[in-house]
Amino acid sequence: MIMEKPADHPILPARKVGVLFANLGTPDGYDYWSMRRYLNEFLSDKRVIDYPAWKWQPILQGIILTKRPFSSGEAYKSIWNEDLGESPLMTITKQQITKLQAALEKRYGTEVMTDFCMRYGNPSTKSKVREMVAAGCDRILFFPLYPQYAGATMGTANDQFFRALMDEAWQPASRTIPPYFDDPAYVDALAQSVERGYAAMEQKPDLLVVSYHGMPERYLQQGDPYHCQCQKSTRLLKERLGWGDDDITTTFQSVFGPEEWLKPYTVKEVARLAKAGKKNIAVIAPAFSADCIETLEEIQEEIQEAFVEAGGESFTYIPCLNDDDAHIAALMGVAERNLAGWLE
């Protein structure tokens, strides 16, 4: 016997499965206060800077957030998408999600709801979880767009997702994806981008520099697998390309603070390579799923400048995979595997 709902029963939407992609984040603008809000949220994250609050916050609030919003704002201004009024990371993420949404709907129909959030800034993780639950998502696959796991990237994104679930009266069932740095389709997409980049060059580079975002060496000793996964990413890329050890090297960028970080540092290594006779290099950044401040400004300006000043002649940046079709197909493969049992 079917029981009728009472007249005052809340209206429940049709059941759906949510797929929520997440990226690092972006300021809303490059003005001082937008930058300060963004940097404050980012640099107050204990996964990013794990110093005790009593020690770190006075430095952050009294010194760093007084000066850094100006310099960071200038960096963002140099790459800003003025036509759309947003950072390139936001523009590219929207392009990725448009393609992923179409692919997921083609595969699963209206049973799936696809969206994205940012760990820092907008749209927030909490707001997007709320929207999905309100739309009837009783299951959510959370998909941080980081091929390699690091506590300061995938870990903190997952933390924020779990915090958002804590505020829901009716929590959806949830899953998070594992790192996909060794996924064959992802490695193949990465290799294809290198092959296209090399084919477009008049002269083959002396070396491919594979630059990953850095982290303090201490994190590796504490058990973070990021360094090992980066090294394996480079090895798998080398094997897929059929190259030797002399054709490719791994470096780490974006050093911050007084601690020793993972080495070699990209900015110093490219200068050393130029002085050692490697006058023609290419650089790729596989830890980033979309081009952003670290690739468009840091690599193509600061790191390139260090290479040229040391005697380098040709510096080529190979863009992130962004919304390349092979990248979207690789991400879809990861999503499909992790949706198994929820959607068929």
Side-chain angles (χ1 to χ4, degrees):
M1 183 176 68
I2 298 176
M3 299 292 293
E4 293 291 334
K5 295 187 181 71
D8 60 350
H9 193 283
I11 297 175
L12 299 177
R15 296 178 66 202
K16 294 179 182 291
V17 174
V19 182
L20 183 58
F21 294 90
N23 215 321
L24 180 75
T26 170
D28 295 324
Y30 50 76
D31 60 281
Y32 176 83
W33 290 108
S34 293
M35 289 304 311
R36 184 177 176 113
R37 283 193 301 272
Y38 175 74
L39 290 171
N40 183 50
E41 185 179 9
F42 175 49
L43 296 175
S44 292
D45 186 347
K46 294 286 286 185
R47 288 275 200 178
V48 176
I49 306 292
D50 66 350
Y51 301 148
W54 65 265
K55 181 179 182 180
W56 174 240
Q57 282 299 320
I59 298 172
L60 177 63
Q61 303 299 329
I63 300 174
I64 295 174
L65 292 181
T66 300
K67 299 179 179 180
R68 188 158 177 176
F70 290 109
S71 58
S72 294
E74 285 300 311
Y76 269 97
K77 184 178 180 180
S78 71
I79 65 167
W80 201 253
N81 185 338
E82 295 288 358
D83 291 339
L84 296 177
E86 61 191 22
S87 74
L89 176 64
M90 180 66 78
T91 302
I92 294 167
T93 301
K94 289 178 178 177
Q95 293 167 346
Q96 291 173 325
I97 299 309
T98 296
K99 288 190 174 182
L100 286 163
Q101 183 178 41
L104 283 161
E105 287 186 358
K106 181 178 180 180
R107 176 73 172 81
Y108 299 111
T110 58
E111 289 184 77
V112 65
M113 177 179 178
T114 309
D115 210 335
F116 78 97
C117 63
M118 297 294 185
R119 169 60 184 90
Y120 313 105
N122 297 305
S124 70
T125 305
K126 181 177 180 179
S127 69
K128 289 302 178 179
V129 168
R130 180 84 285 277
E131 286 180 19
M132 284 191 162
V133 172
C137 294
D138 60 357
R139 292 149 292 168
I140 297 178
L141 174 64
F142 187 65
F143 196 135
L145 289 165
Y146 305 109
Q148 301 83 15
Y149 175 93
T153 55
M154 185 176 283
T156 190
N158 288 338
D159 288 346
Q160 196 73 349
F161 174 59
F162 300 142
R163 279 190 284 266
L165 292 177
M166 290 171 65
D167 292 332
E168 294 301 322
W170 184 355
Q171 287 183 330
S174 62
R175 293 176 179 172
T176 60
I177 66 152
Y180 55 93
F181 66 96
D182 56 355
D183 177 73
Y186 165 73
V187 174
D188 188 58
L190 205 59
Q192 287 181 46
S193 74
V194 174
E195 290 167 341
R196 286 194 303 269
Y198 271 45
M201 299 177 204
E202 294 183 1
Q203 178 184 358
K204 180 182 176 181
D206 300 320
L207 190 70
L208 177 66
V209 176
V210 187
S211 181
Y212 298 89
H213 198 287
M215 68 160 54
E217 287 183 352
R218 175 169 52 86
Y219 290 11
L220 170 62
Q221 302 305 320
Q222 293 171 347
D224 194 301
Y226 179 70
H227 178 264
C228 300
Q229 292 182 2
C230 290
Q231 295 289 355
K232 187 172 182 180
S233 292
T234 300
R235 176 174 65 79
L236 292 172
L237 175 60
K238 179 191 70 174
E239 291 172 356
R240 161 59 179 78
L241 291 167
W243 289 1
D245 292 341
D246 294 338
D247 298 315
I248 191 169
T249 191
T250 297
T251 63
F252 297 90
Q253 64 184 84
S254 308
V255 177
F256 176 80
E259 287 191 76
E260 292 295 312
W261 281 43
L262 298 176
K263 295 184 182 69
Y265 299 149
T266 304
V267 69
K268 292 183 178 180
E269 183 64 6
V270 297
R272 188 196 69 78
L273 289 169
K275 292 175 182 177
K278 303 290 187 183
K279 303 296 185 181
N280 177 15
I281 67 170
V283 180
I284 192 170
F288 302 99
S289 63
D291 278 305
C292 53
I293 191 74
E294 287 85 0
T295 64
L296 300 174
E297 194 275 336
E298 184 179 1
I299 290 179
Q300 295 191 69
E301 295 184 23
E302 177 187 346
I303 292 171
Q304 180 174 0
E305 183 179 322
F307 177 70
V308 173
E309 287 183 351
E313 297 173 1
S314 177
F315 181 101
T316 301
Y317 171 65
I318 298 174
C320 292
L321 294 177
N322 297 325
D323 68 337
D324 178 76
D325 287 344
H327 187 211
I328 299 302
L331 297 177
M332 268 295 296
V334 176
E336 287 177 343
R337 288 195 298 275
N338 286 276
L339 287 168
W342 281 358
L343 291 171
E344 301 300 341

